[in-house]
């Protein structure tokens, strides 16, 4: 739903040239603390604002979105929470903003900017509380912010959209979770995951629903170079095709570009029942394989368990789904990886939050981790956004530059009050 410091241009050129001639890139050691070059707080006085998604598009424009309990446009709020999308120029100047929703709760959970500048945002919408939410997909004109089309994925049960990617033809692949049945599919359990494909004009032209007999939840989606899509999620049971026994709570599934019902492969892993493991962010590395980030309460790889929750980095082979947990990073507190982007040198930029639990006052820090192509931890830094904060979204803005979005507060906030959204651009 899903992510900078001071490096030399000559070092980047060397990495590119080495990759071009087929040599192994050297271990990156030039990742230092970042400098904020753009900072854009998102503020509605006294109520909740939160950035949940960031994407960089053609011309280095940046789109971000999330949820607000206040008023971010001239229009009056529609409900308890409204969804919003803002488009910025490369220098941080605002081009347009939109706030939308029903009488209940609405949020943007992910978005992408197409090659033609159109912004496609996904999330959830609730007409009136306590009604169950529906998944929503909305396309906005990149120049004016006008709504081009809207599609709602709805059953009588709970439906949400959590991730979106677009291919070279402008088709949008949307991943989400449904508690209902979307024809011609029949729900296999408590929750199923789905992937829907939309034409550039917003026509739903392919769909697949997938899951086991328990709960299955979608977290992120990535598009492989050949056009297939991979979804990562969490399960409480055994997902079809993974095996006869529970292999762990994390799973990944690869579907062909036409979303044929039979997956190309399915993989499940992460340890025994009772371990909380979520792979919540997914990206493709320069070699065409996949990197996933998330968090765990157990030990899932070679690194020892360090805290209540540790950040996890995993690699997934695109050919057969082989799942390898390569890094586990933590401490005496709780480390949560929530978003991921991979650069041309194969470095993984992970945005998230570190919580410290204290008898007097709990604290939190918006945090950025950078891992090298060899999975070495190159950087762990607190993003300066306020006394308390958390990073929900990350997107690469260029060589060694990154946009991060999330929430920040002067004190640990209560429900729907006390925190504001933030968007920062940092150069490393």
């Amino acid at each position: 739903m899903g992510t900078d410091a001071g490096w030399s241009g000559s070092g980047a050129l060397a990495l590119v040239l080495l990759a071009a001639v087929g040599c192994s890139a050297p271990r990156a050691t030039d990742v230092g603390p970042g400098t904020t070059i753009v900072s854009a707080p998102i503020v509605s006085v006294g109520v909740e604002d939160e950035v949940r998604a960031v994407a960089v598009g053609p011309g280095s424009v940046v789109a971000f979105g999330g949820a607000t309990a206040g008023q971010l446009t001239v229009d009056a709020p529609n409900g308890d929470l409204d969804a919003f999308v803002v488009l910025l120029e490369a220098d941080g100047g605002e081009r347009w903003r939109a706030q939308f929703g029903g009488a209940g709760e609405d949020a943007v959970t992910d978005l992408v900017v197409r090659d033609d500048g159109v912004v496609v945002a996904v999330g959830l919408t609730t007409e009136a509380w306590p009604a169950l939410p529906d998944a929503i997909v909305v396309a906005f004109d990149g120049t004016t912010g006008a709504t081009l089309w809207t599609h709602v994925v709805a059953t009588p049960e709970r439906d949400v959209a959590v991730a979106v990617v677009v291919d070279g033809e402008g088709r949008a692949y949307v991943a989400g979770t449904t508690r209902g049945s979307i024809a011609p599919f029949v729900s296999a359990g408590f929750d199923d995951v789905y992937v829907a494909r939309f034409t550039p004009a917003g026509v739903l032209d392919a769909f697949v629903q997938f899951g086991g007999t328990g709960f299955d939840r979608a977290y992120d989606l990535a598009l492989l170079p050949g056009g297939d899509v991979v979804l990562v999620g969490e399960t409480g049971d055994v997902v079809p095709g993974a095996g006869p026994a529970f292999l762990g709570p994390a799973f990944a599934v690869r579907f062909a570009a036409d979303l044929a019902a039979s997956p190309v492969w399915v993989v499940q892993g992460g340890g025994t029942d009772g371990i909380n493991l979520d792979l919540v962010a997914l990206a493709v590395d320069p070699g065409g394989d996949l990197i996933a980030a998330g968090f765990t309460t157990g030990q899932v790889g070679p690194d020892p368990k360090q805290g209540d929750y540790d950040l996890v980095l995993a690699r997934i082979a695109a050919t057969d789904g082989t799942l390898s947990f390569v890094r586990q990073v933590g401490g005496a507190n709780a480390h949560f990886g929530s978003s991921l982007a991979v650069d041309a040198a194969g470095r993984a930029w992970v945005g998230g939050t570190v919580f410290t639990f204290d008898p007097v006052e709990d604290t939190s820090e918006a945090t950025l981790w950078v891992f090298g192509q060899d999975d070495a931890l190159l950087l762990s830094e607190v993003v300066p956004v306020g006394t308390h904060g958390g990073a929900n979204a990350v997107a690469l803005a260029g060589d060694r530059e990154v946009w991060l979005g999330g929430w920040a507060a002067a004190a640990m906030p209560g429900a729907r009050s006390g925190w504001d959204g933030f968007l920062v651009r940092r150069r490393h």
Side-chain angles (χ1 to χ4, degrees), residues 273-361:
D273 195 9
I275 290 180
N276 184 348
L277 170 68
D278 291 332
L279 294 179
V280 299
L282 187 66
V284 180
D285 71 17
D289 286 324
L290 297 129
I291 301 178
F295 48 87
T296 183
T297 58
Q299 181 179 353
V300 295
D303 294 330
K305 181 181 183 298
Q306 300 182 53
D308 294 334
Y309 283 87
D310 291 345
L311 178 149
V312 168
L313 196 73
R315 291 186 176 271
I316 305 171
T319 53
D320 60 6
T322 299
L323 176 63
S324 303
F325 294 94
V326 293
R327 291 310 311 270
Q328 185 165 335
V329 176
N333 34 36
H335 291 58
F336 292 89
S338 58
S339 51
L340 170 68
V342 178
D343 65 21
R347 291 177 286 245
W349 301 70
V350 181
T353 308
V354 175
F355 288 95
T356 300
F357 304 110
D358 185 270
V360 178
E361 182 185 22

Side-chain angles (χ1 to χ4, degrees), residues 14-404:
L15 289 172
V16 172
L17 291 175
L18 284 168
V21 297
C23 298
S24 297
R27 174 177 170 177
T29 58
D30 54 353
V31 182
T35 300
T36 297
I37 56 176
V38 175
S39 179
I42 294 88
V43 179
S44 295
V45 177
V47 297
E48 170 191 344
D49 304 300
E50 186 174 6
V51 175
R52 302 185 184 181
V54 182
V56 175
S60 297
V61 300
V62 59
F64 66 95
T68 179
Q71 184 174 353
L72 297 181
T73 68
V74 296
D75 298 322
N78 298 293
D80 295 337
L81 281 177
D82 281 355
F84 72 86
V85 175
V86 181
L87 188 70
L88 302 182
E89 308 289 354
D91 62 1
E94 184 175 315
R95 185 182 295 183
W96 54 258
R97 62 173 59 189
Q99 182 171 340
F100 57 98
E105 296 188 351
D106 304 86
V108 167
T109 55
D110 197 16
L111 47 71
V112 67
V113 185
R114 295 190 329 205
D115 288 344
D116 60 0
V118 170
V119 178
V120 181
V122 303
L124 57 95
T125 182
T126 309
E127 282 304 314
W129 188 257
L132 294 170
D134 294 324
I136 190 170
V137 187
V138 187
F140 298 92
D141 183 275
T143 302
T144 66
T147 300
L148 299 177
W149 53 264
T150 301
H151 191 101
V152 177
V153 179
T155 72
E157 304 294 334
R158 181 179 183 273
D159 311 291
V160 298
V162 299
V164 58
V165 294
V166 294
D167 64 16
E169 299 179 23
R171 296 178 299 189
Y173 290 82
V174 177
T177 303
T178 179
R179 197 163 290 173
S181 298
I182 301 176
F185 296 93
V186 177
S187 176
F190 183 68
D191 280 323
D192 288 346
V193 302
Y194 69 83
V195 181
R197 188 179 72 183
F198 296 88
T199 69
V203 177
L204 177 63
D205 71 345
F207 184 87
V208 63
Q209 184 171 335
F210 174 85
T213 57
F215 79 84
D216 304 293
R217 297 185 185 127
Y219 288 132
D220 205 2
L221 189 70
L223 183 69
L224 292 172
D228 288 4
V229 291
V230 178
L231 177 149
V232 290
E234 177 191 10
T235 183
D237 201 346
V238 179
V239 291
F246 183 84
L247 301 171
F251 75 92
V253 54
R254 174 177 173 175
F255 293 103
D258 62 358
L259 301 185
S262 297
V264 177
W265 52 252
V266 180
V267 63
Q268 184 175 337
T272 59
D273 195 9
I275 290 180
N276 184 348
L277 170 68
D278 291 332
L279 294 179
V280 299
L282 187 66
V284 180
D285 71 17
D289 286 324
L290 297 129
I291 301 178
F295 48 87
T296 183
T297 58
Q299 181 179 353
V300 295
D303 294 330
K305 181 181 183 298
Q306 300 182 53
D308 294 334
Y309 283 87
D310 291 345
L311 178 149
V312 168
L313 196 73
R315 291 186 176 271
I316 305 171
T319 53
D320 60 6
T322 299
L323 176 63
S324 303
F325 294 94
V326 293
R327 291 310 311 270
Q328 185 165 335
V329 176
N333 34 36
H335 291 58
F336 292 89
S338 58
S339 51
L340 170 68
V342 178
D343 65 21
R347 291 177 286 245
W349 301 70
V350 181
T353 308
V354 175
F355 288 95
T356 300
F357 304 110
D358 185 270
V360 178
E361 182 185 22
D362 296 337
T363 63
S364 68
E365 296 172 327
T367 308
L368 175 68
W369 297 269
V370 184
F371 296 88
Q373 191 177 38
D374 60 358
D375 304 320
L377 179 60
L378 306 179
L379 174 70
S380 174
E381 72 166 359
V382 175
V383 182
V385 296
T387 305
H388 302 276
N392 296 327
V394 63
L396 294 171
D399 185 39
R400 303 176 178 87
E401 290 192 7
V402 65
W403 286 98
L404 290 130

